[in-house]
mmCIF file of all heavy atoms in Angstrom:
data_model
loop_
_atom_site.group_PDB
_atom_site.id
_atom_site.type_symbol
_atom_site.label_atom_id
_atom_site.label_comp_id
_atom_site.label_asym_id
_atom_site.label_seq_id
_atom_site.Cartn_x
_atom_site.Cartn_y
_atom_site.Cartn_z
ATOM 1 N N SER A 288 -27.846 103.669 147.170
ATOM 2 C CA SER A 288 -27.358 104.425 148.328
ATOM 3 C C SER A 288 -27.997 103.959 149.625
ATOM 4 O O SER A 288 -27.356 103.965 150.681
ATOM 5 C CB SER A 288 -27.615 105.922 148.128
ATOM 6 O OG SER A 288 -29.000 106.209 148.121
ATOM 7 N N THR A 289 -29.261 103.540 149.547
ATOM 8 C CA THR A 289 -29.926 103.055 150.758
ATOM 9 C C THR A 289 -29.388 101.697 151.192
ATOM 10 O O THR A 289 -29.499 101.332 152.361
ATOM 11 C CB THR A 289 -31.437 102.952 150.535
ATOM 12 O OG1 THR A 289 -31.707 102.050 149.451
ATOM 13 C CG2 THR A 289 -32.031 104.315 150.189
ATOM 14 N N VAL A 290 -28.812 100.953 150.244
ATOM 15 C CA VAL A 290 -28.222 99.657 150.572
ATOM 16 C C VAL A 290 -26.803 99.820 151.103
ATOM 17 O O VAL A 290 -26.429 99.223 152.119
ATOM 18 C CB VAL A 290 -28.223 98.729 149.333
ATOM 19 C CG1 VAL A 290 -27.497 97.419 149.634
ATOM 20 C CG2 VAL A 290 -29.646 98.460 148.868
ATOM 21 N N ILE A 291 -26.017 100.634 150.412
ATOM 22 C CA ILE A 291 -24.608 100.826 150.792
ATOM 23 C C ILE A 291 -24.481 101.665 152.054
ATOM 24 O O ILE A 291 -23.621 101.412 152.903
ATOM 25 C CB ILE A 291 -23.837 101.478 149.632
ATOM 26 C CG1 ILE A 291 -23.866 100.558 148.407
ATOM 27 C CG2 ILE A 291 -22.399 101.787 150.038
ATOM 28 C CD1 ILE A 291 -23.235 101.161 147.177
ATOM 29 N N PHE A 292 -25.348 102.681 152.172
ATOM 30 C CA PHE A 292 -25.328 103.540 153.367
ATOM 31 C C PHE A 292 -26.672 103.384 154.082
ATOM 32 O O PHE A 292 -27.623 104.130 153.798
ATOM 33 C CB PHE A 292 -25.106 105.002 152.977
ATOM 34 C CG PHE A 292 -23.892 105.224 152.111
ATOM 35 C CD1 PHE A 292 -24.023 105.576 150.768
ATOM 36 C CD2 PHE A 292 -22.619 105.072 152.635
ATOM 37 C CE1 PHE A 292 -22.906 105.772 149.975
ATOM 38 C CE2 PHE A 292 -21.490 105.267 151.846
ATOM 39 C CZ PHE A 292 -21.637 105.616 150.510
ATOM 40 N N PRO A 293 -26.769 102.440 154.995
ATOM 41 C CA PRO A 293 -28.052 102.139 155.657
ATOM 42 C C PRO A 293 -28.690 103.330 156.360
ATOM 43 O O PRO A 293 -29.905 103.374 156.529
ATOM 44 C CB PRO A 293 -27.659 101.050 156.684
ATOM 45 C CG PRO A 293 -26.409 100.457 156.152
ATOM 46 C CD PRO A 293 -25.690 101.569 155.474
ATOM 47 N N GLU A 294 -27.870 104.295 156.777
ATOM 48 C CA GLU A 294 -28.431 105.470 157.448
ATOM 49 C C GLU A 294 -29.208 106.357 156.490
ATOM 50 O O GLU A 294 -29.944 107.254 156.904
ATOM 51 C CB GLU A 294 -27.314 106.283 158.114
ATOM 52 C CG GLU A 294 -26.362 107.002 157.177
ATOM 53 C CD GLU A 294 -25.228 106.129 156.650
ATOM 54 O OE1 GLU A 294 -25.280 104.903 156.881
ATOM 55 O OE2 GLU A 294 -24.316 106.652 156.013
ATOM 56 N N SER A 295 -29.067 106.121 155.172
ATOM 57 C CA SER A 295 -29.750 106.935 154.164
ATOM 58 C C SER A 295 -31.134 106.375 153.857
ATOM 59 O O SER A 295 -31.449 106.054 152.715
ATOM 60 C CB SER A 295 -28.925 106.987 152.873
ATOM 61 O OG SER A 295 -27.611 107.383 153.123
ATOM 62 N N ALA A 296 -31.927 106.256 154.876
ATOM 63 C CA ALA A 296 -33.277 105.702 154.684
ATOM 64 C C ALA A 296 -34.160 106.699 153.940
ATOM 65 O O ALA A 296 -34.041 107.910 154.120
ATOM 66 C CB ALA A 296 -33.891 105.363 156.036
ATOM 67 N N ILE A 297 -35.021 106.189 153.079
ATOM 68 C CA ILE A 297 -35.959 107.047 152.358
ATOM 69 C C ILE A 297 -37.382 106.673 152.753
ATOM 70 O O ILE A 297 -37.667 105.532 153.127
ATOM 71 C CB ILE A 297 -35.784 106.925 150.825
ATOM 72 C CG1 ILE A 297 -35.954 105.477 150.361
ATOM 73 C CG2 ILE A 297 -34.434 107.462 150.399
ATOM 74 C CD1 ILE A 297 -35.872 105.308 148.866
ATOM 75 N N THR A 298 -38.260 107.640 152.671
ATOM 76 C CA THR A 298 -39.653 107.434 153.062
ATOM 77 C C THR A 298 -40.557 107.441 151.838
ATOM 78 O O THR A 298 -40.138 107.810 150.734
ATOM 79 C CB THR A 298 -40.100 108.546 154.033
ATOM 80 O OG1 THR A 298 -40.083 109.802 153.331
ATOM 81 C CG2 THR A 298 -39.168 108.623 155.232
ATOM 82 N N GLY A 299 -41.804 107.056 152.063
ATOM 83 C CA GLY A 299 -42.773 107.087 150.976
ATOM 84 C C GLY A 299 -42.993 108.488 150.465
ATOM 85 O O GLY A 299 -43.186 108.709 149.256
ATOM 86 N N LEU A 300 -42.934 109.475 151.369
ATOM 87 C CA LEU A 300 -43.121 110.867 150.966
ATOM 88 C C LEU A 300 -41.945 111.341 150.104
ATOM 89 O O LEU A 300 -42.127 112.155 149.192
ATOM 90 C CB LEU A 300 -43.258 111.752 152.218
ATOM 91 C CG LEU A 300 -44.047 113.060 152.044
ATOM 92 C CD1 LEU A 300 -45.422 112.802 151.465
ATOM 93 C CD2 LEU A 300 -44.146 113.787 153.382
ATOM 94 N N ASN A 301 -40.742 110.842 150.410
ATOM 95 C CA ASN A 301 -39.582 111.134 149.552
ATOM 96 C C ASN A 301 -39.854 110.695 148.122
ATOM 97 O O ASN A 301 -39.641 111.454 147.163
ATOM 98 C CB ASN A 301 -38.349 110.380 150.051
ATOM 99 C CG ASN A 301 -37.686 111.042 151.237
ATOM 100 O OD1 ASN A 301 -37.191 110.367 152.125
ATOM 101 N ND2 ASN A 301 -37.652 112.353 151.282
ATOM 102 N N ILE A 302 -40.285 109.458 147.981
ATOM 103 C CA ILE A 302 -40.520 108.889 146.646
ATOM 104 C C ILE A 302 -41.635 109.622 145.918
ATOM 105 O O ILE A 302 -41.524 109.935 144.722
ATOM 106 C CB ILE A 302 -40.852 107.390 146.753
ATOM 107 C CG1 ILE A 302 -39.682 106.625 147.373
ATOM 108 C CG2 ILE A 302 -41.199 106.810 145.393
ATOM 109 C CD1 ILE A 302 -38.405 106.696 146.577
#
Side-chain angles (χ1 to χ4, degrees):
S288 66
T289 59
V290 175
I291 298 175
F292 307 110
E294 69 276 9
S295 307
I297 57 177
T298 65
L300 206 54
N301 281 144
I302 298 299

